[in-house]
Amino acid sequence: MGRIQRKSSDRRLKKNVRKIKGALNKVKRLRGVEFQWKKPKEMGRGDYGLVAQEVQKVAPLLVSGGKKGYLSVKYTNAVALLVEAIKEAEERICLLERRLAKQGQAKKVRR
């Protein structure tokens, strides 16, 4: 069974808090992959994930160094990026829906 990850998130522990800008573009640049571990006895057979070196180029705050110089992705921190990306996508969808609605009304008037 996997471990449950918890991180302190209390506002009182943070400073310089600001919204993530360009979250959707960052998420679009990430590449989800399916892969097999080189050492399946230690790591398990196959998995889904991201490649830390690729993530580092797009969202360096999501990557940390580990044992023997290997990089790790902070998947729990990626949630904030995904939340903002979804909100940005929703804004785009709403804008397009309003444009389509206006076009539909314009066509009705022309008839």
Side-chain angles (χ1 to χ4, degrees), residues 3-66:
R3 296 181 304 159
I4 295 175
Q5 295 285 330
R6 291 192 178 112
K7 295 192 91 170
S8 294
S9 192
D10 192 300
R11 174 74 166 109
R12 295 171 293 178
L13 299 172
K14 301 173 182 183
K15 63 181 184 178
N16 300 325
V17 176
R18 59 193 179 277
K19 183 178 172 181
I20 299 168
K21 293 182 182 179
L24 184 58
N25 285 331
K26 287 177 182 166
V27 169
K28 286 169 48 176
R29 291 175 50 206
L30 295 175
R31 181 175 69 113
V33 296
E34 180 178 347
F35 61 93
Q36 266 116 42
W37 293 102
K38 290 183 177 180
K39 297 181 180 181
K41 288 183 181 179
E42 295 172 27
M43 306 294 282
R45 290 185 177 187
D47 227 331
Y48 296 111
L50 303 167
V51 177
Q53 288 82 349
E54 294 175 8
V55 175
Q56 196 171 38
K57 292 175 185 175
V58 176
L61 293 176
L62 294 179
V63 178
S64 63

Side-chain angles (χ1 to χ4, degrees), residues 5 7 20 23 27 30 50 62 73-87:
Q5 295 285 330
K7 295 192 91 170
I20 299 168
V27 169
L30 295 175
L50 303 167
L62 294 179
V73 175
K74 298 184 241 176
Y75 287 100
T76 55
N77 292 18
V79 171
L81 184 66
L82 296 172
V83 165
E84 290 305 315
I86 290 167
K87 288 163 53 177

Side-chain angles (χ1 to χ4, degrees), residues 81-98:
L81 184 66
L82 296 172
V83 165
E84 290 305 315
I86 290 167
K87 288 163 53 177
E88 287 178 19
E90 178 66 17
E91 285 177 25
R92 288 184 182 187
I93 291 167
C94 289
L95 176 67
L96 291 171
E97 286 175 340
R98 285 192 298 272

